[in-house]
Amino acid sequence: QNGAKKTTEIAHLDITHYKSLTKDEEQKIENFANRIIAGCTNIKKGFMDKAEAEKQHGFKLYQGGVVPGNQLRVVDIEGIDTEACCGTHADNTAEVGWIKLVKSQRISDGIVRLYYVANEKAIVKMNEEQDIMNSLCDTWGVDQSQILPTANRFFNEYKKLSNVTKNQDQQILKLQVKYVINSNEATKIFAVKSEQDSPTIYFSFLPQFADKLKSLDKGVIFYGNNFILGLIGNNSSKALVDELEALCKEHSSKPVKSMTKDEVKFDFKIKGQKPIVT
């Protein structure tokens, strides 16, 4: 033990351990604790001479910290654990009711923190988890035994669909840029409404067209609900970039930063978003 804290909402216990706990290890700890509780073991509390207590129980008494003075209040869970502590304790492990381990977290090198609830709070936590299970069963139209295979199937199908969607998005983007490059219109700058939630695809896919757009003195801008991003040629771009920068400053709640490189690359920041005009 390396420390502890208890509140009416949640408690935690810090233990010394060389690595983070796995879910399986968390479950084993929870089960072990609840078996002790279910064993209805008596908890003895009383004062002992410090030297005598150390002789009987060793320095494991001080897991909660060294206790000053020549007298120790010793708490003994028969056959389980004995420590020096002046805190409030039950008379029998059964009074704890039940322990639910909420999570574990490695808070520093060699220290793992266990978050847990007990008694009525444990019942509330278990009911919340069961409510989630029931909701999934109702939503997916399956019984509880089929939740895991159904979730795995949905996830695998989602990954497959995501790959297909990504390829289609890239193909659409490629055709849009090629249209700009091959267009015989007098227009030099093309604006395209984006259906993307973020500009990620443009950052990774557009640079391959930068040199071609620059050589043709053309540009393409993609704008979504929370970003503006594009590649703009070098000669006719200055006025447009100035206009975009002014627009960003007008609607931004934070200072707008701009950067130019050979009049090809521009980087604006608006409404706390990461690069939105390039």
Side-chain angles (χ1 to χ4, degrees):
Q1 180 180 326
N2 194 69
K5 181 180 179 180
K6 302 172 187 68
T7 72
T8 56
E9 296 301 317
I10 195 168
H12 72 244
L13 174 70
D14 295 341
I15 60 173
T16 55
H17 195 55
Y18 65 97
K19 65 176 183 178
S20 299
L21 299 178
T22 65
K23 292 299 179 183
D24 183 60
E25 288 170 333
E26 289 179 1
Q27 189 176 67
K28 287 179 179 178
I29 290 172
E30 181 183 283
N31 291 342
F32 184 75
N34 284 313
R35 290 189 182 103
I36 292 174
I37 292 170
C40 302
T41 305
N42 289 326
I43 303 174
K44 297 179 179 179
K45 294 153 286 188
F47 287 90
M48 293 182 65
D49 178 76
K50 188 174 187 178
E52 180 62 25
E54 291 175 353
K55 182 178 179 180
Q56 286 189 30
H57 304 290
F59 289 99
K60 69 176 184 178
L61 283 166
Y62 305 122
Q63 289 189 62
V66 177
V67 180
N70 296 321
Q71 290 284 314
L72 298 181
R73 181 175 182 266
V74 177
V75 180
D76 179 29
I77 306 174
E78 295 178 354
I80 304 297
D81 188 34
T82 305
E83 294 186 33
C85 184
C86 292
T88 303
H89 296 84
D91 295 318
N92 188 286
T93 57
E95 296 176 33
V96 176
W98 194 262
I99 281 180
K100 177 63 180 174
L101 184 57
V102 177
K103 68 174 182 178
S104 68
Q105 179 183 15
R106 190 179 184 186
I107 61 172
S108 63
D109 189 24
I111 304 295
V112 175
R113 175 165 292 175
L114 309 178
Y115 293 90
Y116 64 96
V117 289
N119 209 301
E120 286 297 321
K121 292 294 183 182
I123 294 174
V124 170
K125 184 64 179 176
M126 288 187 286
N127 286 342
E128 289 175 351
E129 293 179 353
Q130 187 60 48
D131 287 343
I132 293 174
M133 300 285 283
N134 293 339
S135 179
L136 289 175
C137 289
D138 291 341
T139 301
W140 294 345
V142 299
D143 59 40
Q144 190 165 314
S145 65
Q146 293 299 308
I147 286 181
L148 184 57
T150 301
N152 287 332
R153 177 167 58 85
F154 285 169
F155 181 68
N156 290 331
E157 290 175 354
Y158 166 76
K159 288 196 298 183
K160 182 179 179 180
L161 181 61
S162 294
N163 290 332
V164 172
T165 302
K166 181 179 178 181
N167 291 334
Q168 289 178 338
D169 286 342
Q170 289 180 345
Q171 184 65 21
I172 291 171
L173 177 56
K174 186 174 182 179
L175 291 173
Q176 288 171 331
V177 177
K178 281 192 172 182
Y179 173 82
V180 172
I181 291 173
N182 297 325
S183 174
N184 293 322
E185 298 179 27
T187 304
K188 290 291 187 178
I189 305 296
F190 293 76
V192 181
K193 178 70 171 68
S194 174
E195 300 298 329
Q196 299 290 325
D197 294 327
S198 75
T200 304
I201 187 173
Y202 302 112
F203 282 118
S204 60
F205 198 74
L206 279 180
Q208 61 183 298
F209 301 104
D211 289 339
K212 186 65 175 179
L213 287 171
K214 183 178 179 181
S215 66
L216 296 172
D217 191 22
K218 288 185 176 182
V220 58
I221 296 173
F222 295 89
Y223 61 95
N225 292 328
N226 61 357
F227 69 88
I228 306 172
L229 185 146
L231 288 172
I232 306 173
N234 61 337
N235 293 324
S236 58
S237 63
K238 185 64 170 68
L240 177 61
V241 172
D242 290 342
E243 184 178 344
L244 286 173
E245 185 173 11
L247 182 65
C248 289
K249 287 180 178 179
E250 180 183 350
H251 294 282
S252 175
S253 58
K254 296 183 178 181
V256 177
K257 298 179 180 179
S258 63
M259 177 185 69
T260 63
K261 182 179 180 183
D262 298 329
E263 296 186 5
V264 172
K265 186 174 181 180
F266 308 90
D267 185 2
F268 290 75
K269 187 174 183 181
I270 183 172
K271 294 182 180 177
Q273 298 293 327
K274 292 248 173 166
I276 57 168
V277 177
T278 301

